[in-house]
């Protein structure tokens, strides 16, 4: 009997020892019993859902050798504060634009009646005298005087020649001049002398969600993607609301087609997608949250952001869209790096008529270029249009004309404020492309006289800096959305 009792005691001791050992192992390795999982079934799922917009937004970007994390740090700590200060200066805040040009592709839907779509033009009395002087290629008072004399002499010579020409010949010469002037333009520029062109203070008409959406907005983007991105109609773009229903198509057919394109055409699509993503981020970050007694409250809308970029909501499209934004940022950053010598010349003073303001603005701009030069991972545009000379020339011209057509589509946007910022950002990108493909002309710029080989109008300069400022703001706002999603979790 004692033997049986001792054996039972030994079994109990062994069971107690094993139980303590297993429990200790669970505690040491943070393995929780199943019952604890059941108490908070949504904790890990919620964390995953809250960060699903960003979980794949990491690492090296396609078609270049830069990573997302490097761009985030560089932009948010160096570039964003600088470009924000710069675009608040008088030279960059006033933009002359014609918002009344008719849509060249389909009958106008009529202008948006929503009050937030309205753009408040700037009275000319408030525009600095140097900006509204009417000569859009001049940068300083000295340059104004010198170029006015030159133009008078050229007008006299042309008048002498004109006396021996027929009207038909004169018209032909004018056509040739316009053709030569348009050769390097990637955008359809507004005629700043048109009575419909007005100055707009960009700081008083910020880009934000106005309520403009639905079929009219879809038609604009559909025309851009379907007719201008080198895509055959048989290939369907993922999540296109105007495309035939295709069930659970995950877009693999589209991306297989895209990867089969040459680098230049692939880059073109990614630039347009990046621009679209940037605009969507602005709309999510400046959303109408509340409209009370004469006071509107604007701020970030996390749900709207998720709808446009969440991995589950967009079937994986969200990450691709955001990476294309980073790619576009690198392209425009590279253009600013390349165009720096143009602005570093003594002749360029960003003339507004206020010498103190002009000097401070030029100093800020040069500091901004120095920040850009310090970035170690610039996009190498030499890989583009680098094949057979004639084929490369044809492809480059096709590239230019497709983008120029997109700039014309901006006149079909029904919301005036959306049209304003669409035109500005499209022109900014078009100016960046013009810069990238004018390397030789920029290298040969004269130091103390205007260049005939490469020239930027004030309209292009304002669009280039503000367009890049919008991209920089988008990447900064992505950081804010990350924080908001963490707080919500």
């Amino acid at each position: 009997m004692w033997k049986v009792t001792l054996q039972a005691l030994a079994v109990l001791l062994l069971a107690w020892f094993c139980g303590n050992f297993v429990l200790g192992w669970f505690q040491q390795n943070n393995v929780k019993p199943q019952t604890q999982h059941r108490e908070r079934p949504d904790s890990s799922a919620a964390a995953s859902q809250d960060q699903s917009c960003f979980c794949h937004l990491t690492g090296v970007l396609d078609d270049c050798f830069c990573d997302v994390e490097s761009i985030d740090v560089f932009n948010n700590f160096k570039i964003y504060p600088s470009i924000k200060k710069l675009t608040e200066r008088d030279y960059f805040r006033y933009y002359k634009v014609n918002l009344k040009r008719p849509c060249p592709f389909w009958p106008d839907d009529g202008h948006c009646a929503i009050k937030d779509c309205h753009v408040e033009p700037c009275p000319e009395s408030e525009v600095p005298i140097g900006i509204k002087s009417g000569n859009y290629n001049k940068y300083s008072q000295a340059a104004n005087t010198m170029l006015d004399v030159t133009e008078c002499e050229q007008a006299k010579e042309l008048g002498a020649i004109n006396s021996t020409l027929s009207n038909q010949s004169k018209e032909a010469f004018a056509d040739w001049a316009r053709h030569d002037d348009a050769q390097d333009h990637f955008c359809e520029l507004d005629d700043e002398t048109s009575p419909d062109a007005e100055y707009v203070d960009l700081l008083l008409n910020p880009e934000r969600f106005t309520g403009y959406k639905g079929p009219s907005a879809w038609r604009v983007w559909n025309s851009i993607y379907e007719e201008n991105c080198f895509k055959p109609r048989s290939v369907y773009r993922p999540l296109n609301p105007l495309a035939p229903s295709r069930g659970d198509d995950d877009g693999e057919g589209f991306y297989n087609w895209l990867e089969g394109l040459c680098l230049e055409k692939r880059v073109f699509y990614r630039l347009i997608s990046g621009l679209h993503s940037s605009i969507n981020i602005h709309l999510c970050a400046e959303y109408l949250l509340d409209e009370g007694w004469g006071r509107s409250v604007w701020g970030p809308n996390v749900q709207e952001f998720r709808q446009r970029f969440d991995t589950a909501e967009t079937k994986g499209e969200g990450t691709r869209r955001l990476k294309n934004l980073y790619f576009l940022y690198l392209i425009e950053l590279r253009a600013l790096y390349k165009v720096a010598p143009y602005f570093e010349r003594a002749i360029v003073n960003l003339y507004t008529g206020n010498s103190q303001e002009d000097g401070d603005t030029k100093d800020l701009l040069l500091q901004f270029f120095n920040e850009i030069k310090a970035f170690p991972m610039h996009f190498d545009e030499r890989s583009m249009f680098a094949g057979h000379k004639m084929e490369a020339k044809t492809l480059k011209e096709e590239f230019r004309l497709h983008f120029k057509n997109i700039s014309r589509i901006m006149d079909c946007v029904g919301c005036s404020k959306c049209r304003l910022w669409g035109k500005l950002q499209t022109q900014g990108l078009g100016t960046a492309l013009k810069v990238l493909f004018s390397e030789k002309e920029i290298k040969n710029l004269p130091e103390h006289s205007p260049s005939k080989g490469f020239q930027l109008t004030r309209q292009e300069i304002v669009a280039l800096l503000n367009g890049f400022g919008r991209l920089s703001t988008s990447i900064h706002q992505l950081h804010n959305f990350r924080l908001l999603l963490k707080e919500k979790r």
Side-chain angles (χ1 to χ4, degrees), residues 138-320:
K138 300 177 184 177
Y139 309 106
S140 68
Q141 193 165 15
N144 282 354
T145 306
M146 181 179 67
L147 288 173
D148 283 337
V149 171
T150 306
E151 285 171 1
C152 283
E153 291 173 353
Q154 288 174 344
K156 286 177 183 176
E157 291 174 11
L158 188 58
I161 296 171
N162 278 350
S163 64
T164 64
L165 294 175
S166 66
N167 288 335
Q168 188 175 5
S169 298
K170 290 176 189 175
E171 194 173 321
F173 271 116
D175 284 343
W176 291 339
R178 281 194 294 269
H179 176 74
D180 288 341
D181 187 49
Q183 279 299 292
D184 59 352
H185 285 154
F186 281 73
C187 283
E188 185 83 20
L189 301 180
D190 282 347
D191 177 7
E192 295 188 61
T193 63
S194 166
D196 288 330
E198 296 178 296
Y199 285 101
V200 174
D201 185 339
L202 298 173
L203 298 183
L204 298 181
N205 293 274
E207 185 181 19
R208 55 178 42 152
F209 184 78
T210 63
Y212 175 67
K213 57 184 178 179
S216 178
W218 293 341
R219 179 159 62 167
V220 170
W221 283 110
N222 196 61
S223 178
I224 290 171
Y225 282 114
E226 298 298 316
E227 298 167 23
N228 294 281
C229 284
F230 304 97
K231 188 181 76 60
R233 291 190 178 276
S234 58
V235 175
Y236 292 98
R237 184 167 51 91
L239 305 180
N240 178 5
L242 300 183
S245 175
R246 308 193 71 237
D248 294 327
D249 178 31
D250 58 2
E252 284 306 308
F254 173 82
Y255 286 104
N256 288 337
W257 163 80
L258 187 65
E259 289 306 311
L261 290 178
C262 64
L263 172 66
E264 292 80 5
K265 292 182 179 181
R266 199 162 64 240
V267 163
F268 190 95
Y269 171 79
R270 297 188 67 194
L271 295 179
I272 301 306
S273 172
L275 180 61
H276 195 182
S277 298
S278 181
I279 290 171
N280 278 333
I281 291 169
H282 304 152
L283 305 187
C284 296
E286 292 290 335
Y287 201 90
L288 183 58
L289 301 177
D290 186 38
E291 193 170 16
W293 294 92
R295 180 178 172 273
S296 300
V297 178
W298 304 84
N301 185 324
V302 174
Q303 187 54 43
E304 187 73 21
F305 180 80
R306 271 186 176 160
Q307 187 178 328
R308 296 172 190 260
F309 296 106
D310 184 271
T311 304
E313 294 269 356
T314 63
K315 299 182 180 178
E317 271 293 290
T319 302
R320 288 186 171 113

Side-chain angles (χ1 to χ4, degrees), residues 420-440:
L420 163 67
W421 285 101
K423 285 168 78 83
L424 182 139
Q425 289 171 86
T426 305
Q427 188 179 8
L429 176 52
T431 305
L433 294 172
K434 171 181 170 177
V435 168
L436 289 177
F437 301 134
S438 303
E439 183 175 12
K440 289 180 182 176

Side-chain angles (χ1 to χ4, degrees), residues 400-425:
R400 186 183 72 85
L401 292 175
H402 274 244
F403 194 84
K404 195 168 186 177
N405 209 44
I406 289 173
S407 73
R408 298 177 70 208
I409 294 174
M410 290 298 116
D411 285 318
C412 300
V413 177
C415 162
S416 293
K417 190 168 284 184
C418 307
R419 182 183 292 204
L420 163 67
W421 285 101
K423 285 168 78 83
L424 182 139
Q425 289 171 86

